Amino acid sequence: MPSPRLRFAPSPNGRLHLGHAYSALLNAAVARAIRGELLLRIEDIDPVRCRPELTDALVADLAWLGLAFPEPVWRQSDRMPAYRAVLDDLRARGLVYPCTCTRREIQAAATGARDPDGAPLYPGTCRGSAATAAAVAAGAPHAWRLDMARALQSCPGPHAYTAFAPGVPGATRAADPARWGDVVLGRKDVPTSYHLAAVLDDAAQGITHVVRGQDLEAATDLHVLLQRLLGLPTPCYHHHALIRDAAGEKLSKSLGSEALAALRERGVSPGEVRRWLGFTEA
Ligand code: GLU
């Protein structure tokens, strides 16, 4: 059995709020309970929204909470050549195809079916399209999409993973990757997407236990398929409930929930934050 390893994987596109603090502290508590190591991974593939000063602020916020991580901190922005190589391999295997569609074109052609995140399922416009191939050869910006039907031919189901809860033995959970359709694995601006980078880095960092929010539970169905396609191990997963604010809304940066930095400025102590969130130790 590999030694247990976990990761906390925030995106530096805003300040950390209480929801992040809960996820980070839960990762630390699970790591402590199973004598595992907890790593920090900066998910900064978005060159516009992710800013280096936000990464520094995030590390400082976590340190304030009492969480320190082994150095050097893993940054996805350093990993682009590795992601590109995997995308090239998937292309050579005929498992991804280029797509020049804009969001508006996808909306216009959409059938009404939606992926688990609520986005229209890709209608397949560019799959096998000679016009797309010509546009790409002429230098048109393009993403790379997984050919889901071929991927499932290459790795037929049933697909499954082990879901665990802290202190409870794992249970097998069925996964249905098809509900994601032809997802983007390489964006127009960077040679990866969240899904591809997360799966590759979980394997490269030797992650055995993934503890993350329930908002990513459906993504795990896709991640297990990508792991099978790429010959990578599947960690066990715990998807925790999301911390909600007083109005019952999911706390997120977009809702302007109070950042840890703002709490700190108001004189709230890290111990108070931990207690609010139900943790007694850092
Ligand atoms: N970067 C993601 C987020 O901040 C987390 C990804 C993951 O844990 O797989 O929501």
Side-chain angles (χ1 to χ4, degrees):
M1 279 291 281
S3 57
R5 253 202 202 163
L6 296 85
R7 85 310 195 270
F8 175 57
S11 303
N13 52 21
R15 295 302 298 260
L16 292 191
H17 55 71
L18 283 175
H20 292 110
Y22 178 76
S23 198
L25 289 166
L26 184 61
N27 265 284
V30 173
R32 197 179 310 111
I34 63 176
R35 291 176 211 278
E37 187 178 24
L38 174 59
L39 307 179
L40 177 62
R41 177 163 84 221
I42 305 297
E43 298 211 326
D44 57 352
I45 63 167
D46 191 313
V48 178
R49 294 176 68 218
C50 296
R51 302 205 312 271
E53 61 273 24
L54 287 170
T55 297
D56 296 342
L58 183 159
V59 172
D61 287 343
L62 292 169
W64 175 75
L65 263 185
L67 296 173
F69 298 89
E71 296 278 345
V73 168
W74 188 279
R75 289 168 199 253
Q76 292 192 325
S77 54
D78 294 336
R79 297 259 301 150
M80 295 299 164
Y83 304 144
R84 193 184 307 274
V86 172
L87 217 44
D88 286 348
D89 171 58
L90 290 171
R91 191 169 66 182
R93 293 164 61 194
L95 293 172
V96 290
Y97 62 87
C99 170
T100 54
C101 292
T102 60
R103 200 163 293 185
R104 185 172 304 180
E105 286 166 342
I106 296 172
Q107 290 278 3
T111 60
R114 298 197 170 259
D115 75 15
D117 282 347
L121 267 192
Y122 183 64
T125 322
C126 287
R127 194 190 311 120
S129 154
T132 299
V136 168
H142 56 281
W144 289 94
R145 288 186 179 274
L146 180 68
D147 187 325
M148 180 58 81
R150 283 201 185 172
L152 289 172
Q153 256 164 28
S154 159
C155 288
H159 297 286
Y161 62 93
T162 300
F164 75 100
V168 179
T172 302
R173 182 77 53 89
D176 175 17
R179 59 193 177 132
W180 287 95
D182 289 0
V183 284
V184 169
L185 295 188
R187 302 181 358 169
K188 284 182 181 164
D189 56 346
V190 286
T192 187
S193 64
Y194 156 66
H195 298 298
L196 184 63
V199 161
L200 291 176
D201 287 357
D202 283 341
Q205 293 190 285
I207 303 303
T208 57
H209 294 71
V210 172
V211 174
R212 61 184 176 192
Q214 251 162 16
D215 52 341
L216 291 168
E217 188 162 18
T220 304
D221 287 17
L222 173 64
H223 295 183
V224 297
L225 173 64
L226 296 177
Q227 286 150 358
R228 294 237 351 242
L229 283 174
L230 297 168
L232 304 173
T234 294
C236 339
Y237 291 86
H238 172 62
H239 298 102
H240 61 73
L242 298 175
I243 296 292
R244 290 176 191 273
D245 66 16
E249 299 279 357
K250 178 184 138 187
L251 275 180
S252 73
K253 286 165 286 194
S254 52
L255 289 176
S257 308
E258 202 159 19
L260 292 182
L263 295 173
R264 182 171 61 210
E265 272 152 35
R266 281 209 280 122
V268 174
S269 74
E272 279 172 291
V273 172
R274 286 199 296 270
R275 279 192 298 280
W276 286 344
L277 296 173
F279 299 95
T280 45
E281 294 175 78

